[in-house]
Amino acid sequence: MSANKVKRVPMPELAVEERVKTFDEVPLGYTEEQAVLEAGRCMQCGNAPCIMECPVNIDIKMFLKQVSLKDFKGAFLTIKKYNPIPAITGRVCPQETQCEGVCTLGKIGDATNIGKVESFVADWARKNNVREEFDVVERSQKVAVIGSGPASISCAVDLRKSGYQVVMYEALHKAGGVLQYGIPEFRLPRDVVDAELSYLSDIGVEIRLNRIIGQNVSFDELRDEYDAIFVGTGAGAPLFLGIDGEKLNGVYSANEFLIRVNLMKAYKFPEYDTPVRVGGKVGVIGAGNVAMDAARSAVRLGAEVHVLYRRTKKEAPVRVEEMRHAIEEGINFVELVGPVRILGEEGWVKGIELVKMKLGKPDKSGRPRPVPVRGSEFTMDLDTVVVALGTRPNRLFLSRVPGLETTDKGIIIVGDDLATNIDGVFAGGDAISGGSTVILALGEGRKAAKSIEDYLAG
Amino acid sequence: MHKDIVNKGVGAMSMDVKKNSGHEITRKEELNSGDYLIEVRAPLVAAKFMPGNFVIFLLHEKGERVPMSVQKVEGDRITVFFKKLGKTSRELDSWHVGDCINSVVGPLGNAIELKKYGNVVFASDLVCGHAENYAAVKGLKGAGNHVISMQSFPTKDDVYPRKELSTMADEYFLTTADGSQGIKGHYTDVLKGLLDENKVDMVFAGGDIPSLGKLSELTKRYNVRTMVTLRQIMIDGTGMCGACRVFIDGEMKLTCIDGPMFDGHKVNFEEVIARLGMFKEEESVAMEDYNSRGVCHERK
Ligand SMILES: Cc1cc2nc3c(=O)[nH]c(=O)nc-3n(C[C@H](O)[C@H](O)[C@H](O)COP(=O)(O)OP(=O)(O)OC[C@H]3O[C@@H](n4cnc5c(N)ncnc54)[C@H](O)[C@@H]3O)c2cc1C
Ligand SMILES: Cc1cc2nc3c(=O)[nH]c(=O)nc-3n(C[C@H](O)[C@H](O)[C@H](O)COP(=O)(O)OP(=O)(O)OC[C@H]3O[C@@H](n4cnc5c(N)ncnc54)[C@H](O)[C@@H]3O)c2cc1C
Ligand code: SF4
Ligand code: SF4
Ligand code: FES
């Protein structure tokens, strides 16, 4: 069988009727044969534009070649040189706007499925216990990494490989950041995340959980104890709409909803103790990855779900695969509506008042600006409202580190080398962007590690 | 304070992340038919606790994160009072000295401002309030105040930790609803008397939320500053989920990081009470499930 240049090797997926009942992963993953075939579709372009568009510049051409030759271990080691968590990025990167978006094959048919081959390679290595081997020359200098999301993970791995003594501090009782509490298991199974975290421990990064820097461990203590600090505290604080009715029972921030479902496993209630209440009809406000994760979780909890979005599907900032899955799973997209107020009865959500929108001139993001249509208000019955408007950096940490320079939205200001204004303190990930992607956070973690090494050597 | 465990070299033994936090129960006592006391090892909390702070308990992998007030610190141990309410508190009630709790996170929230106010009242009528009462009286006395402690209970068999408080505070008032011990009535009745005599400069209180509402109404009339503990339902306790949001003077605040104490004169108590009822049905499901299984989750 030779590879088809036009069409991808189809990804086997859990049937829709199955998936809406479980939190099992939707794509079932390529078999070895399928991965070899898909990797073999790559044309090995001279200029390999895919590599340029991968934020960490993985040698994609090389690892696809290795997979096509069944050298899975070689492929794994190639990827690992650039990316410590390929099992995760292969699953959650917005490939269509990155590596796959510019793939030459895309001009004649489907782009190479780089993401799925990447996660195949990483899964293969995990199952076969294949690890990257390297020597560590121990150094006595100590670095504290605050947070345990992708930025912190990559920073910690690189510093540890260079021999520094690295201690990771995480506020929650489980490490992983958004990978643990935010992204649901049907997109990112927790054994995948746990494997990456146990790798951290294996190479000698100490993880201290339940440590909230600025609250039960002060920032000054860290400064006294460590030679350098990386701040990867993310942007975990939810934004609310600020409209009437948001106080009602049945209104969740997407963060609360997802923390209940993912971190606390409320979908297994009452086996797990934390409840989540969904009701029959759920409205999710927003249409990004966070909104779609909440919507698809609510479907699995048995609700009828409506995504309420002020633009149209075309502008929705969500991974293409997620949008497709959401529609397959029966989620109703209500386009061009804005929330006016949440309606209640006896303290509980009863519905929502929406106003119709039309698309106007492009705004700063380049997307058409939604403009409310006067007098077009209408209402919709709902039992639950999930607000997925985005997040901002947690003000707890910032309020306890008064000297740290931030924007008025609490985004930490850094230089090109990711150094903050405080000597020896570096930052990366959502804490410096206000919210971006796993792979960008990861890239920044690596870059900060490099700067920290320079700083400690200097 | 933290023990440094640094794994040297590659391929060192995989460290079980869970072992980072095992909190041994070192003492457990029944306080009355509805409340019990637990003392656990929690060195980080013990080292940093200030009156007003709280902690979050997570019994085990499958548990819920439940906020708890701290009564006192001794060495690397803390004491908390649990009310037997639902699933978590009843499950923990079946645990024994030597068992380990997965996580005891804290101290969380803001400490009360320990300064000289003059004549300060701390009043409490429910389990969490009594723990705070103890912690605060100690702290406020240290700051040079004349501290008046008040506790209210339904009946005499419910009373605790009375002896400790009555010897520690400058003045101590005990009330029971049925008059079986102390003064018949509620702390608000006693407080009213003191307010009439113009003897109070500052009031702190914790416990039953509707009582805190009544208290705040009362002290507002006398224009005496009042800080009350709001017990909102919480998850992370770090400002990330928004579950604990309350509106103070119309402005959204998070109980976990802006509280847990707020100016009682600015709180809309009806809203707070409504939000506390959000998971009533699920709480009873959890309880029934727990009862029907009759076993608790595995623990160390
Ligand atoms: C629901 C959801 C879905 C997403 N889907 C995608 C996707 O499909 N693809 C994609 O590329 N990106 C996605 N993103 C975005 C992506 O997850 C983030 O950009 C990325 O996780 C940021 O990484 P980080 O390391 O900066 O921080 P985070 O992952 O946010 O981790 C920060 C960690 O720091 C901890 N912390 C905070 N303050 C303190 C403190 N004071 N002390 C100690 N610890 C602290 C937090 O508890 C948290 O664990 C999604 C985000 C969400 C919320
Ligand atoms: C800052 C703070 C301090 C607290 N201190 C104490 C304390 O010292 N001792 C103590 O016993 N409890 C305290 N609580 C309340 C405690 O967290 C709840 O009692 C606990 O969650 C009950 O769990 P459960 O599974 O036993 O009962 P559940 O079945 O979860 O709940 C039973 C009942 O408790 C109410 N409830 C549930 N969660 C909360 C909550 N977070 N706050 C208030 N009521 C709740 C429910 O409405 C229900 O009526 C405190 C809460 C906060 C926020
Ligand atoms: S890390 Fe992301 S962008 Fe880079 S190759 Fe992998 S899937 Fe593509
Ligand atoms: S652009 Fe596409 S076809 Fe070209 S090397 Fe990259 S993956 Fe292969
Ligand atoms: S408990 Fe989550 S924000 Fe307060």
Side-chain angles (χ1 to χ4, degrees):
Chain A
M1 199 171 27
S2 75
N4 182 331
K5 283 291 167 218
V6 181
K7 284 260 164 260
R8 282 183 170 184
V9 176
M11 171 54 59
E13 289 182 347
L14 204 59
V16 172
E17 21 336 322
E18 277 306 305
R19 349 171 169 145
V20 297
K21 288 185 282 189
T22 75
F23 276 72
D24 292 350
E25 193 174 13
V26 173
L28 298 173
Y30 281 144
T31 60
E32 291 189 8
E33 293 71 35
Q34 289 168 327
V36 169
L37 214 54
E38 180 60 25
R41 290 180 64 231
C42 165
M43 303 199 295
Q44 296 290 309
C45 312
N47 59 345
C50 51
I51 299 177
M52 296 306 297
E53 287 302 309
C54 165
V56 294
N57 307 118
I58 294 182
D59 192 343
I60 296 168
K61 187 171 146 183
M62 168 82 113
F63 93 71
L64 288 175
K65 172 114 205 158
Q66 287 164 314
V67 171
S68 74
L69 298 173
K70 294 198 177 160
D71 177 12
F72 303 136
K73 180 170 182 183
F76 177 67
L77 297 178
T78 301
I79 299 172
K80 275 289 221 180
K81 261 192 254 161
Y82 304 87
N83 175 348
I85 51 171
I88 294 170
T89 50
R91 286 175 164 87
V92 304
C93 263
Q95 286 92 1
E96 62 275 3
T97 59
Q98 298 177 352
C99 53
E100 294 173 16
V102 294
C103 173
T104 318
L105 268 180
K107 299 204 177 90
I108 56 165
D110 296 340
T112 316
N113 199 339
I114 301 171
K116 290 296 192 295
V117 178
E118 181 173 307
S119 52
F120 161 80
V121 170
D123 292 350
W124 176 89
R126 189 171 70 254
K127 280 178 206 130
N128 292 283
N129 237 330
V130 170
R131 295 217 158 181
E132 194 190 14
E133 283 160 31
F134 51 86
D135 294 327
V136 171
V137 181
E138 293 294 342
R139 298 173 203 246
S140 60
Q141 283 148 311
K142 295 174 74 179
V143 183
V145 169
I146 311 177
S148 61
S152 300
I153 292 175
S154 60
C155 186
V157 167
D158 280 8
L159 288 169
R160 184 64 199 125
K161 281 186 178 173
S162 300
Y164 295 98
Q165 308 307 320
V166 184
V167 181
M168 180 179 268
Y169 288 86
E170 168 55 48
L172 296 172
H173 62 276
K174 273 191 188 161
V178 171
L179 309 175
Q180 186 68 256
Y181 76 74
I183 303 180
E185 300 206 47
F186 51 81
R187 288 218 282 138
L188 184 59
R190 287 305 177 265
D191 53 356
V192 171
V193 179
D194 291 344
E196 302 297 357
L197 290 165
S198 73
Y199 171 72
L200 280 185
S201 301
D202 288 348
I203 65 170
V205 174
E206 190 196 339
I207 304 175
R208 290 183 187 163
L209 302 173
N210 294 328
R211 303 301 203 282
I212 307 148
I213 307 305
Q215 177 69 34
N216 61 2
V217 177
S218 78
F219 190 68
D220 288 342
E221 276 173 70
L222 290 194
R223 291 205 69 201
D224 289 344
E225 194 179 338
Y226 294 91
D227 300 292
I229 295 175
F230 174 73
V231 182
T233 46
L239 291 171
F240 285 91
L241 290 156
I243 58 175
D244 265 5
E246 226 166 8
K247 302 172 190 181
L248 292 164
N249 284 341
V251 179
Y252 294 98
S253 74
N255 259 24
E256 176 184 352
F257 191 74
L258 290 169
I259 288 176
R260 283 180 183 276
V261 172
N262 298 313
L263 180 70
M264 306 312 294
K265 303 227 187 303
Y267 69 91
K268 292 188 184 161
F269 177 84
E271 181 197 346
Y272 282 71
D273 296 343
T274 305
V276 63
R277 194 187 173 107
V278 282
K281 271 180 97 174
V282 176
V284 177
I285 298 169
N289 283 319
V290 182
M292 227 49 69
D293 283 345
R296 296 180 63 206
S297 298
V299 163
R300 283 159 174 76
L301 294 165
E304 171 191 317
V305 183
H306 304 267
V307 166
L308 312 173
Y309 186 42
R310 56 196 187 132
R311 295 187 169 98
T312 71
K313 278 182 209 151
K314 220 168 66 210
E315 290 86 25
V318 61
R319 288 182 77 228
V320 169
E321 189 186 17
E322 267 33 272
M323 177 70 100
R324 176 170 61 78
H325 285 160
I327 293 169
E328 286 168 6
E329 289 161 13
I331 288 165
N332 176 34
F333 269 83
V334 187
E335 301 178 309
L336 295 169
V337 290
V340 180
R341 63 198 163 105
I342 301 169
L343 310 166
E345 204 176 275
E346 288 172 16
W348 286 87
V349 172
K350 265 288 148 231
I352 191 165
E353 183 179 321
L354 298 163
V355 61
K356 291 196 175 136
M357 303 289 228
K358 61 174 196 269
L359 294 181
K361 293 212 180 70
D363 62 11
K364 269 187 291 172
S365 72
R367 297 176 300 173
R369 184 194 298 276
V371 191
V373 179
R374 271 236 225 115
S376 67
E377 288 81 1
F378 67 105
T379 64
M380 190 174 179
D381 288 346
L382 293 175
D383 304 296
T384 302
V385 173
V386 180
V387 182
L389 291 184
T391 51
R392 56 167 55 185
N394 193 329
R395 62 192 157 84
L396 175 63
F397 175 75
L398 299 172
S399 69
R400 305 289 164 85
V401 189
L404 187 64
E405 256 175 39
T406 68
T407 68
D408 54 359
K409 293 200 168 119
I411 292 165
I412 300 173
I413 298 172
V414 290
D416 284 341
D417 57 355
L418 302 185
T420 68
N421 66 311
I422 302 179
D423 185 46
V425 180
F426 298 77
D430 283 1
I432 65 164
S433 62
S436 67
T437 59
V438 170
I439 190 67
L440 286 171
L442 187 154
E444 285 158 6
R446 299 203 72 186
K447 188 170 173 189
K450 182 85 198 43
S451 299
I452 290 173
E453 285 192 41
D454 291 345
Y455 170 82
L456 292 176
Chain B
M1 188 186 18
H2 320 299
K3 207 172 78 199
D4 272 332
I5 316 160
V6 180
N7 294 334
K8 302 271 182 212
V10 188
M13 246 190 28
S14 170
M15 194 170 63
D16 187 351
V17 182
K18 279 174 287 190
K19 284 192 193 131
N20 263 353
S21 43
H23 298 265
E24 189 195 351
I25 301 175
T26 48
R27 194 155 69 95
K28 183 164 176 292
E29 273 169 33
E30 293 292 309
L31 294 165
N32 55 42
S33 58
D35 306 301
Y36 60 93
L37 162 165
I38 287 264
E39 183 191 72
V40 289
R41 247 181 246 293
L44 186 59
V45 181
K48 307 248 167 125
F49 175 79
M50 295 291 284
N53 290 145
F54 64 97
V55 294
I56 288 184
F57 269 62
L58 173 74
L59 297 193
H60 48 68
E61 274 280 301
K62 297 183 176 179
E64 187 172 15
R65 292 172 64 104
V66 292
M68 282 290 142
S69 310
V70 176
Q71 182 215 3
K72 64 178 165 191
V73 171
E74 269 169 312
D76 65 350
R77 289 151 295 140
I78 61 166
T79 306
V80 299
F81 299 148
F82 261 87
K83 181 152 220 69
K84 294 179 208 173
L85 266 177
K87 165 78 211 310
T88 304
S89 48
R90 283 170 198 272
E91 182 176 357
L92 181 61
D93 193 26
S94 72
W95 290 29
H96 307 287
V97 169
D99 286 342
C100 278
I101 291 168
N102 179 301
S103 297
V104 178
V105 192
L108 297 168
N110 299 289
I112 61 179
E113 209 184 332
L114 290 180
K115 62 171 190 192
K116 185 146 184 188
Y117 298 95
N119 293 335
V120 188
V121 168
F122 200 110
S124 58
D125 61 353
L126 255 189
V127 56
C128 40
H130 299 316
E132 285 153 15
N133 197 336
Y134 182 98
V137 165
K138 212 170 158 196
L140 288 166
K141 271 212 67 150
N145 292 290
H146 178 83
V147 186
I148 307 161
S149 177
M150 300 180 183
Q151 286 187 286
S152 299
F153 297 90
T155 184
K156 71 175 187 337
D157 296 333
D158 296 335
V159 177
Y160 70 90
R162 180 197 177 193
K163 267 197 221 104
E164 292 174 304
L165 269 173
S166 59
T167 50
M168 218 165 55
D170 296 298
E171 289 178 62
Y172 174 77
F173 296 92
L174 173 71
T175 76
T176 51
D178 61 2
S180 52
Q181 194 176 345
I183 303 159
K184 184 174 165 139
H186 189 256
Y187 67 66
T188 39
D189 308 326
V190 180
L191 182 63
K192 185 163 185 310
L194 296 185
L195 288 166
D196 282 335
E197 292 170 43
N198 208 1
K199 273 194 178 158
V200 184
D201 301 308
M202 175 78 203
V203 176
F204 292 95
D208 178 54
I209 303 285
S211 304
L212 294 176
K214 267 192 232 133
L215 163 79
S216 301
E217 237 169 68
L218 175 70
T219 56
K220 196 169 184 172
R221 287 205 303 263
Y222 292 84
N223 205 13
V224 171
R225 221 173 147 231
T226 302
M227 295 292 283
V228 298
T229 306
L230 295 185
R231 288 174 291 109
Q232 276 303 355
I233 290 176
M234 297 185 181
I235 311 175
D236 59 302
T238 70
M240 267 189 9
C241 71
C244 65
R245 62 190 187 276
V246 287
F247 294 82
I248 305 295
D249 251 359
E251 202 190 324
M252 191 181 93
K253 297 278 177 198
L254 299 174
T255 310
C256 63
I257 60 172
D258 298 317
M261 285 207 146
F262 293 99
D263 183 340
H265 299 160
K266 295 182 177 167
V267 175
N268 181 331
F269 284 93
E270 271 169 43
E271 278 171 18
V272 173
I273 292 164
R275 278 194 68 79
L276 274 175
M278 175 129 169
F279 293 100
K280 275 245 151 46
E281 278 172 38
E282 287 75 9
E283 281 151 2
S284 61
V285 171
M287 200 55 227
E288 278 161 30
D289 175 70
Y290 173 66
N291 286 337
S292 71
R293 277 183 290 149
V295 286
C296 37
H297 297 298
E298 251 181 74
R299 56 181 197 268
K300 277 200 305 217

